[in-house]
Amino acid sequence: MAIQTVGIVGSGTMGSGIAQACAVCGVSAHMVDIQQTALDKGLGAIDKSLERLVAKGKLAQSERSAALTRIHTSTDYAVFEQCDLVIEAATENLPLKIKILEQLQAHLRPNAVLASNTSSISITQLAAVTQHPERFIGMHFFNPVPMMALVEVIRGLQTSDDTHALVHAFAASLGKTPITVKNAPGFVVNRILVPMINEAFFVLGEGIASAEDIDNGMKLGCNHPIGPLALADLVGLDVCLAVMEVYFNSYRDSKYRAAPLLQEMVAAGRLGRKTGHGVYSY
């Protein structure tokens, strides 16, 4: 089975990025969202992203035009009946994801593969609500999807070898580097990354160094392209807090307790770039 048509639930930052990555590599992408305005916004983001690639000489104008013709939008799950793979890329919310996965079942091909772009929720748990859990898998892209090379391919307890092999090969066909991950809270990258961000909030809250010096220390001392506090602002402080709470509730280990300053800033609505104010002002 070759994956030639992909369905994507959600047209936000991740959904539109996945659609772009597919379209640039010659794969048809069907984005579905609950409102046309959200879909139009996602298409606009893709258009601007492709324009930037053309301006940088990384994509020909003809390739940009061809990619745009491969992206389709709809508010109806029925379009997924023509897809070989459907990727759920909705908000990181367990009840919402379960609701979406349950609603999708009636619109999947008999041999279609279903994946979730979740960054922290159990693939085994999500697979359990599907009709064919052996054909369910995690496919965690990283933001910004068109630029980031990694895809975590997460096997749930029920995921078959054939499903894993198919999705692993498909990720590689998009020019990504897939790594195989066993199902566990946070998988690999976020399991390491988010506690590091949380520790930076402990350091900041204890007054050990300024935000700028903490970030410069990690950039210059560890060769990180962006400091942990600036990265938290980019990701969203509410997202960082939610992930830490998943780890703490899953492992019951005090090393995953959220930093008081992180909790306080989220309570104040200072969530980072998306609200104009987080650790830094924007």
Side-chain angles (χ1 to χ4, degrees):
M1 175 182 170
I3 296 174
Q4 299 177 323
T5 305
V6 172
I8 301 155
V9 182
S11 58
T13 301
M14 297 305 293
S16 61
I18 295 169
Q20 178 181 327
C22 290
V24 167
C25 291
V27 177
S28 294
H30 292 266
M31 285 196 306
V32 172
D33 214 315
I34 56 175
Q35 294 181 332
Q36 188 60 46
T37 52
L39 291 164
D40 292 341
K41 184 178 179 181
L43 277 176
I46 293 170
D47 195 21
K48 289 180 181 178
S49 178
L50 292 173
E51 282 181 0
R52 287 194 294 270
L53 291 175
V54 171
K56 293 178 181 178
K58 295 182 178 181
L59 194 71
Q61 187 64 48
S62 59
E63 292 173 319
R64 170 185 171 274
S65 299
L68 288 172
T69 65
R70 297 187 189 106
I71 300 173
H72 314 278
T73 64
S74 178
T75 56
D76 189 350
Y77 282 172
V79 300
F80 293 148
E81 293 170 6
Q82 57 191 297
C83 297
D84 305 307
L85 166 69
V86 175
I87 303 170
E88 173 274 311
T91 305
E92 198 74 349
N93 176 288
L94 177 59
L96 175 62
K97 288 184 183 293
I98 288 175
K99 180 181 178 181
I100 288 170
L101 294 175
E102 289 175 340
Q103 292 175 340
L104 280 176
Q105 301 306 305
H107 303 287
L108 299 177
R109 286 180 174 178
N111 63 341
V113 170
L114 186 56
S116 176
N117 182 57
T118 181
S119 59
S120 63
I121 296 173
S122 169
I123 296 302
T124 297
Q125 184 177 5
L126 292 176
V129 306
T130 68
Q131 293 176 1
H132 297 283
E134 74 280 3
R135 294 205 295 271
F136 188 85
I137 196 165
M139 198 176 188
H140 180 212
F141 291 83
F142 287 76
N143 186 27
V145 177
M147 307 304 297
M148 299 294 280
L150 181 66
V151 175
E152 287 181 320
V153 179
I154 306 112
R155 298 191 64 153
L157 184 65
Q158 313 94 318
T159 307
S160 71
D161 290 342
D162 287 346
T163 297
H164 169 259
L166 180 68
V167 171
H168 193 280
F170 176 66
S173 75
L174 298 181
K176 307 299 184 185
T177 299
I179 62 171
T180 297
V181 179
K182 180 182 178 182
N183 183 60
F187 314 129
V188 169
V189 174
N190 285 337
R191 170 82 177 272
I192 298 167
L193 176 65
V194 181
M196 182 194 75
I197 291 173
N198 188 57
E199 195 64 28
F201 277 94
F202 271 114
V203 172
L204 180 63
E206 292 166 15
I208 295 172
S210 68
E212 291 81 0
D213 284 348
I214 291 168
D215 279 349
N216 282 333
M218 294 304 292
K219 287 192 291 183
L220 301 177
C222 298
N223 205 28
H224 290 190
I226 184 172
L229 297 172
L231 180 58
D233 276 354
L234 181 63
V235 171
L237 271 62
D238 54 333
V239 175
C240 294
L241 177 58
V243 172
M244 287 304 300
E245 289 173 342
V246 167
Y247 296 165
F248 185 79
N249 291 331
S250 299
Y251 293 110
R252 300 294 179 182
D253 190 325
S254 62
K255 73 180 180 181
Y256 295 116
R257 70 197 186 284
L261 179 59
L262 175 59
Q263 297 179 65
E264 188 80 355
M265 293 182 74
V266 170
R270 296 183 178 181
L271 308 183
R273 287 180 178 269
K274 60 187 173 185
T275 60
H277 194 179
V279 177
Y280 301 99
S281 294
Y282 300 90

